[in-house]
Amino acid sequence: MASKFGAETSQTVSIAPLLNALVEVTATSNITKGRASEEEIAAAISLIFENQLSAVQCASLLTVLHSTGRDREPLVLAKCGQRMREAAAQIDRKVFRDIVRARGRKEGYYRGGFCDLVGTGGDGWSTFNVSTASSIVASSLLLLSKHGNRASSSTSGSADLLEAIKPKAPRIQAVASDQLPAIYQTSNYAFLFAPMFHPGMRHVAPIRKELGFRTIFNLLGPLANPVEGHIEARIVGVAQKDLGQIFAEALRLSGAKKAMVVCGAEQLDEISCAGKSDCWRLREKPNPAFRGPVNEEDDEFTTSDEEGEPRKLVNIEHITLQPSDFGLSEHALSEVSPGRLPAENAETLMRLLRNELPKGDPVLDFVLMNTAALFVISGLCDADTSNMGHGDSGNVVKETGPGDLRWKEGVRRAIWAIESGRAMASLDSFIKATHLE
């Protein structure tokens, strides 16, 4: 499995030629990126998952990618994300299509597919686990495949939070690729614990820890959801504004059509409750160059997208959001980032799901706006009618905000999910499913 830069030995593969090709030293001794292609970089990354690189060469590869900035190129991220998914525990694609048909709840422009809400981490704020809490609330109306791990730079990672739930925590290590279909038989929610699906990452874990800086793997997590081919919509948080456009482009190159990359003004990898957030939305629009039929149902009788122009193009649009766009108040990050341990955050999560947090509570508003964003990006809030269940007034908030989208309608639906008990019931279903023998 060696690229043109690799020479294979009996146990490991030498990528010394690739390492040399990755850098060029200028006349003034400055190091710049060399001529290595994105595909060659991805091929080298894939060797890590097979334990075919020595520790020295693995560390060298990660260091060179970081120092030359190649680990922040959209196509490098997309190609490496693809290799990481290929090395992951595989799921039965047909079974997952059947799950979407059977359990997906179509509404508005949401077609019932799986969704994810995830961040790259590394923002240094140690906020409450908002993406995990929001994903649980969102699963009241959407199919959720939450991809996550334990804490690396914060005090409480998504896996740590879930394992600290009382009185009965989900068995997250019982959720393996062959168990996922059974989980979704009774639950809209599943937590995909990264080590269970990406066993090859164990080969690089000690090296990353010793390097001491954030490597390309800190950015690949959101691109490596094992059910990627069935992810319809997602929110991805990045901890640096300059990564926003880069990550949005990487998602587009990876085939994403409904997504939004977000970064709080404080360099927060969530939509901030404290002020403005920069957002990069992926949005499908008609392709004026398409020459096929008017109706999508007739596509099978026309030239395929690979041979001709695609019916739609995915554009990236930049918008700015703030709490008032959701009809919510601002809260300082100090009110949601005390750096608490998993047990304390789990207690807060359960109080939120039991509808015990008062209106205007900082954590509640933080979760509401991030849940609302996923509802909006999924297309759910484009529906002009609403029949979510008991307690739903049916009064759709049609007011639009940035991007001409219904952010306040997203909040209305998130509030209903909590107040109706549907969000709590969704978590309970997941917990029970993980304890079935």
Side-chain angles (χ1 to χ4, degrees):
M1 190 175 176
S3 74
K4 72 176 184 180
F5 291 108
E8 192 167 353
T9 67
S10 58
Q11 293 182 337
T12 62
V13 173
S14 172
I15 58 167
L18 171 64
L19 294 174
N20 287 325
L22 274 169
V23 297
E24 291 182 358
V25 181
T26 66
T28 56
S29 297
N30 291 323
I31 296 177
T32 61
K33 65 182 182 180
R35 65 185 185 280
S37 73
E38 296 85 2
E39 189 59 57
E40 289 159 346
I41 293 171
I45 288 290
S46 71
L47 295 173
I48 294 173
F49 308 133
E50 300 170 4
N51 199 25
Q52 288 190 278
L53 287 188
S54 69
V56 170
Q57 291 209 331
C58 180
S60 298
L61 175 62
L62 299 181
T63 301
V64 170
L65 291 176
H66 182 74
S67 62
T68 59
R70 296 301 301 272
D71 60 359
R72 292 186 171 210
E73 293 179 8
L75 190 53
V76 169
L77 290 171
K79 292 284 187 181
C80 291
Q82 179 184 353
R83 291 302 186 106
M84 190 170 174
R85 295 192 302 273
E86 290 171 353
Q90 298 299 298
I91 64 167
D92 188 321
R93 302 291 173 181
K94 181 181 182 302
V95 170
F96 268 70
R97 285 195 297 270
D98 292 342
I99 291 171
V100 171
R101 292 191 187 102
R103 291 192 60 84
R105 180 180 181 273
K106 296 181 180 181
E107 189 172 2
Y109 289 113
Y110 172 55
R111 310 316 299 158
F114 291 94
C115 302
D116 192 10
L117 203 161
V118 64
T120 60
D123 59 23
W125 285 100
S126 292
T127 57
F128 173 76
N129 302 86
V130 66
S131 65
T132 307
S134 297
S135 68
I136 294 170
V137 176
S139 68
S140 58
L141 297 173
L142 307 173
L143 282 177
L144 256 292
S145 284
K146 169 64 176 162
H147 189 220
N149 208 338
R150 302 194 191 283
S152 59
S153 58
S154 66
T155 54
S156 177
S158 51
D160 305 310
L161 172 75
L162 291 173
E163 289 184 324
I165 289 175
K166 293 182 179 180
K168 192 174 187 178
R171 294 170 58 229
I172 61 174
Q173 297 193 45
V175 185
S177 59
D178 59 345
Q179 296 298 317
L180 270 179
I183 297 289
Y184 283 118
Q185 289 295 320
T186 58
S187 173
N188 266 15
Y189 186 85
F191 180 77
L192 281 57
F193 185 39
M196 294 293 295
F197 290 85
H198 300 284
M201 286 295 293
R202 71 184 185 277
H203 303 306
V204 73
I207 296 170
R208 293 173 65 195
K209 186 174 182 180
E210 287 194 44
L211 284 175
F213 58 80
R214 293 176 65 78
T215 71
I216 190 172
F217 288 110
N218 294 96
L219 301 179
L220 291 182
L223 295 170
N225 192 312
V227 301
E228 176 67 28
H230 298 282
I231 297 290
E232 178 178 346
R234 77 195 82 198
I235 301 290
V236 177
V238 294
Q240 294 171 275
K241 183 179 177 180
D242 59 2
L243 281 174
Q245 181 69 30
I246 292 169
F247 221 94
E249 184 62 32
L251 284 170
R252 178 165 63 177
L253 291 169
S254 299
K257 298 177 181 178
K258 284 183 185 177
M260 189 164 73
V261 179
V262 304
C263 182
E266 310 83 3
Q267 304 301 291
L268 179 74
D269 70 335
E270 318 278 3
I271 295 176
S272 177
C273 61
K276 293 182 178 180
S277 297
D278 287 285
C279 307
W280 295 262
R281 179 194 177 197
L282 273 67
R283 180 184 182 186
E284 274 193 312
K285 287 189 174 182
N287 180 4
F290 179 68
R291 293 295 178 263
V294 175
N295 297 318
E296 292 190 26
E297 292 78 6
D298 297 333
D299 272 352
E300 60 182 298
F301 302 110
T302 67
T303 303
S304 70
D305 286 352
E306 287 76 20
E307 297 170 345
E309 289 288 342
R311 176 184 294 278
K312 294 181 179 179
L313 298 174
V314 178
N315 293 339
I316 299 173
E317 302 172 352
H318 177 265
I319 60 174
T320 302
L321 288 173
Q322 53 192 346
S324 59
D325 295 319
F326 296 91
L328 300 170
S329 299
E330 292 187 5
H331 303 280
L333 286 187
S334 60
E335 298 184 74
V336 294
S337 58
R340 290 177 178 168
L341 296 175
E344 296 175 274
N345 282 345
E347 182 179 351
T348 300
L349 169 65
M350 298 307 286
R351 289 186 61 215
L352 183 149
L353 296 176
R354 290 193 295 261
N355 194 29
E356 294 174 358
L357 296 183
K359 182 179 179 180
D361 179 89
V363 169
L364 175 61
D365 284 356
F366 198 18
V367 171
L368 288 176
M369 65 180 67
N370 280 274
T371 305
L374 185 56
F375 282 161
V376 169
I377 295 305
S378 73
L380 188 69
C381 297
D382 293 311
D384 287 331
T385 59
S386 175
N387 185 21
M388 294 182 286
H390 179 72
D392 179 13
S393 67
N395 297 324
V396 174
V397 181
K398 298 182 180 180
E399 176 186 345
T400 60
D404 198 28
L405 296 168
R406 297 174 176 177
W407 306 104
K408 292 180 181 178
E409 170 62 8
V411 170
R412 184 187 76 86
R413 288 175 177 266
I415 290 173
W416 173 86
I418 295 170
E419 293 184 347
S420 69
R422 184 71 66 85
M424 185 75 249
S426 187
L427 176 60
D428 283 341
S429 296
F430 172 60
I431 293 173
K432 291 175 183 176
T434 65
H435 286 271
L436 294 176
E437 296 297 335

